[in-house]
Amino acid sequence: MEGYLTIGEISKFTGVPISTLRYYDSEGIISPIYKDTKSNYRYYSEMQIPVLRIIYYLKRLGFSNDSIKSHLKTLNYSHTLDLISQLIYDTKQEIKKLQKLHKELVKNGEQIKNLISIEKKINSFFIEESEKIKAIYVTIAESNDEEKFIRAAFKKLSLYTLNTEKELLPIGICALTIPQENIENKSYKENKLLYMKDIKELTEKITLPKRKYACVYCKGSLLNKKENIDKLLAWIEDNKLTKSEGDILLHFLAGPGFIKNPKEIMYIIKVPIE
């Protein structure tokens, strides 16, 4: 085929890989001038070199196969400008998505750094001052099967917040409350599961006042919470702090999906103090 270029030669001249040339052919973007049906060799014309370079450039810019075919079919400046304008719009939308994704990744990265730091402080005691928080809640039924009813409360809460919570690690967004009388009678049973955001459509709401808490970081099963609460109460007494009226909070930090043992969680126990 004197005067024509083999697929290897045109690949060399244009920088377009042979596999890509075959792909362009299969997609109907640009085909060889001639195909030998016996040998299946593909032959191109020198006049196709600038066209291939344009195609390769447009692909690099993000043009779709259909847009490239439309450009080559029409070869009209206005039409091509319309294609470019649409691509500019699509690119701006993609940039917005990527910026949002970047923001979420940075936030989640910071949250994970925070969890790594907290994990090193398990069983550490500290004092925290919390701002006033509005929350919704699900009541936990009285039962000897504590875990069963906590799971039921989480299921109900998940239905409430299905379209609300979008974060990967909503640290501190959920908490259990143990009323003061359940500490005094040594039952340590929870009575509410809180979601620390206000959802207007729901009526079961509670406001946690601005106050100080004595706290301890914990990791393990909630079944061991009594031991951790007793340690915190002893620490309060040893440090001559005074408990104040109010529920004890068990704030969740991390659980399944971020802790290998599915029965373990990281949480903070918070006892209100004066």
Side-chain angles (χ1 to χ4, degrees):
M1 293 293 297
E2 189 176 348
Y4 288 92
L5 302 170
T6 66
I7 194 169
E9 288 172 328
I10 199 150
S11 173
K12 182 179 179 181
F13 289 142
T14 61
V16 180
I18 291 174
S19 60
T20 303
L21 290 167
R22 291 194 176 113
Y23 170 72
Y24 289 166
D25 184 15
S26 67
E27 291 294 311
I29 297 172
I30 184 169
S31 297
I33 291 292
Y34 175 75
K35 289 182 186 177
D36 190 318
T37 54
K38 293 182 180 179
S39 64
N40 204 31
Y41 284 174
R42 291 171 166 83
Y43 295 94
Y44 293 80
S45 162
E46 287 185 0
M47 297 301 293
Q48 289 179 295
I49 291 176
V51 178
L52 273 167
R53 285 177 175 161
I54 289 170
I55 292 169
Y56 201 54
Y57 179 74
L58 293 178
K59 287 293 288 184
R60 190 165 61 84
L61 287 179
F63 274 68
S64 67
N65 290 349
D66 287 341
S67 294
I68 292 171
K69 284 190 278 188
S70 180
H71 164 74
L72 294 175
K73 182 179 179 180
T74 308
L75 291 179
N76 175 281
Y77 290 134
S78 296
H79 178 72
T80 301
L81 178 59
D82 288 341
L83 293 175
I84 290 173
S85 298
Q86 182 61 46
L87 187 58
I88 289 171
Y89 173 81
D90 293 342
T91 302
K92 284 181 178 179
Q93 298 306 306
E94 189 63 27
I95 288 170
K96 287 181 182 179
K97 288 180 185 177
L98 290 173
Q99 287 174 334
K100 184 180 179 182
L101 176 61
H102 176 263
K103 187 176 179 180
E104 289 181 10
L105 287 170
V106 169
K107 185 174 182 179
N108 285 315
E110 291 302 318
Q111 288 177 322
I112 291 174
K113 286 180 185 177
N114 189 26
L115 289 176
I116 291 171
S117 174
I118 290 172
E119 199 165 31
K120 296 174 182 177
K121 301 174 185 176
I122 297 300
N123 298 321
S124 296
F125 301 96
F126 60 99
I127 293 173
E128 174 184 279
E129 185 161 354
S130 175
E131 296 297 320
K132 182 171 74 171
I133 299 173
K134 290 184 178 181
I136 63 167
Y137 69 89
V138 175
T139 302
I140 299 172
E142 284 284 339
S143 171
N144 291 328
D145 192 345
E146 189 176 359
E147 279 192 296
K148 176 182 176 182
F149 282 90
I150 290 175
R151 287 197 300 270
F154 264 109
K155 182 178 179 181
K156 190 174 181 181
L157 187 65
S158 295
L159 293 174
Y160 286 163
T161 61
L162 185 63
N163 298 316
T164 303
E165 192 52 61
K166 303 298 182 184
E167 292 185 22
L168 176 65
L169 286 166
I171 293 176
I173 201 71
C174 291
L176 292 168
T177 61
I178 303 176
Q180 189 172 341
E181 59 266 26
N182 287 358
I183 298 298
E184 292 171 355
N185 64 27
K186 302 295 184 182
S187 70
Y188 292 79
K189 288 185 178 180
E190 302 86 351
N191 67 341
K192 292 184 183 71
L193 174 62
L194 306 185
Y195 179 78
M196 304 298 196
K197 285 186 180 178
D198 188 11
I199 299 178
K200 293 180 181 179
E201 296 78 13
L202 302 179
T203 57
E204 292 181 311
K205 299 183 181 183
I206 189 171
T207 299
L208 302 179
K210 179 178 179 179
R211 70 192 327 168
K212 283 185 179 180
Y213 289 97
C215 310
V216 63
Y217 289 119
C218 306
K219 183 178 180 181
S221 169
L222 272 182
L223 296 176
N224 300 326
K225 68 179 183 296
K226 182 180 184 302
E227 179 184 348
N228 291 321
I229 292 172
D230 286 341
K231 286 180 181 178
L232 180 55
L233 293 174
W235 182 80
I236 291 171
E237 188 174 341
D238 292 343
N239 286 270
K240 295 180 173 54
L241 301 172
T242 305
K243 288 189 296 178
S244 64
E245 297 287 326
D247 297 340
I248 287 181
L249 299 180
L250 275 69
H251 250 206
F252 295 101
L253 299 177
F258 285 91
I259 294 180
K260 194 168 185 179
N261 186 338
K263 294 184 178 181
E264 287 191 346
I265 60 170
M266 273 175 57
Y267 61 100
I268 308 173
I269 299 173
K270 298 182 177 182
V271 174
I273 58 173
E274 293 181 359

